[in-house]
Amino acid sequence: MAKQIWKPGNMLYPLPAVMVSTADRRGNSNIITIAWTGTVCTNPPMTYISVRPERYSYHMIKESGEFVINLTTREMMNAVDFCGVRSGKDVDKWKQCGLTKKAASSLDYAPVIAESPVNIECRVEKIEELGSHHMFLARVIAVLTDEAYMDRNGKFELNKAGLLAYSHGEYLALGKKLGTFGSSVKKASHKHSGGQKNKFFPGKNAEKSSRKKCMKGQNAGKK
């Protein structure tokens, strides 16, 4: 397979397309769409977002030391895009997008977006000035989840929310289940749900074939 060599750049896709809500200490709030975010630690729970210093939300986050990562769904796509291409200096994004602002459970300033299935409340612990973007390293203080995605047994079925992802300039809706964590080591894991063999993971068939070849080699040596 032929490959092209490109200059160094960020080509790690897909990424979560989230809406980050924040506010300054005077109560002015805003929403910024972020794709550069992720998990950095489980215990203590830590996350990050990377923001350009010239963005309107940057100084709000820096001043209050708070922000909320709001997961998004396919129904929220237009709002996600709008909040990424318009500045809070010029427009009230809450009003323009028809989003509901609610008080966070554990923060003093940053609000949550009620329409989001998951709100991750964060408090900044460190700012790394990396270059074009500054990284806000933060501790997760609380997580709010929408009860609409809880099944009768109390399991949170987040993947039924139609979560939104961002890849190379396009928004994608997640939905089709291909497997589960640990499925590669379970019985018949070399087959897809449709019964087709996976050429990248032949599994037990490859193991049997390898053992047969080995046995043939040993027998040949005895003759």
Side-chain angles (χ1 to χ4, degrees):
M1 182 182 296
K3 298 280 187 177
Q4 294 183 2
I5 301 176
W6 290 6
K7 67 177 182 179
N10 292 298
M11 286 291 288
L12 181 62
Y13 294 118
L15 296 167
V18 303
M19 302 172 79
V20 172
S21 49
T22 188
D24 60 24
R25 291 176 178 267
R26 295 175 298 281
N28 301 308
S29 64
N30 191 46
I31 304 169
I32 180 175
T33 296
I34 293 286
W36 291 4
T37 180
T39 298
V40 294
C41 188
T42 298
N43 187 22
M46 302 283 291
T47 185
Y48 81 93
I49 59 172
S50 288
V51 184
R52 291 181 181 273
E54 58 267 26
R55 296 296 293 269
Y56 182 63
S57 292
Y58 176 88
H59 294 287
M60 290 186 175
I61 300 171
K62 190 172 183 178
E63 178 183 320
S64 67
E66 299 178 352
F67 61 86
V68 180
I69 297 175
N70 304 273
L71 300 192
T72 60
T73 64
R74 66 179 69 198
E75 288 79 11
M76 301 172 70
M77 192 206 74
N78 285 335
V80 170
D81 186 65
F82 185 87
C83 291
V85 298
R86 290 289 183 267
S87 174
K89 294 179 182 178
D90 307 318
V91 63
D92 183 341
K93 297 181 184 180
W94 297 93
K95 183 178 180 180
Q96 188 69 30
C97 297
L99 296 171
T100 307
K101 177 170 54 177
K102 287 194 174 183
S105 67
S106 304
L107 301 179
D108 297 320
Y109 305 101
V112 305
I113 299 175
E115 288 76 11
S116 170
V118 175
N119 314 102
I120 305 170
E121 301 179 8
C122 306
R123 185 163 286 128
V124 178
E125 294 207 344
K126 187 177 182 181
I127 304 174
E128 290 284 353
E129 298 184 2
L130 303 173
S132 63
H133 290 68
H134 293 181
M135 181 179 72
F136 291 93
L137 186 64
R139 182 184 292 256
V140 176
I141 304 301
V143 178
L144 306 181
T145 59
D146 193 332
E147 293 182 347
Y149 301 104
M150 302 291 292
D151 69 10
R152 64 181 64 184
N153 297 316
K155 179 183 177 181
F156 187 47
E157 297 184 312
L158 177 59
N159 292 328
K160 291 186 176 181
L163 295 174
L164 207 61
Y166 178 81
S167 181
H168 201 51
E170 299 177 338
Y171 300 105
L172 307 173
L174 305 181
K176 184 178 180 181
K177 178 180 175 181
L178 300 179
T180 58
F181 178 76
S183 62
S184 63
V185 297
K186 293 179 181 179
K187 186 176 181 180
S189 61
H190 60 285
K191 294 182 179 180
H192 288 303
S193 58
Q196 299 296 321
K197 294 179 181 179
N198 185 342
K199 67 177 181 179
F200 296 111
F201 196 92
K204 291 186 177 180
N205 287 344
E207 293 176 10
K208 290 179 180 179
S209 176
S210 178
R211 285 198 296 270
K212 286 181 179 179
K213 289 180 180 179
C214 182
M215 291 299 294
K216 285 182 179 181
Q218 290 175 354
N219 292 334
K222 292 178 181 179
K223 293 180 180 179

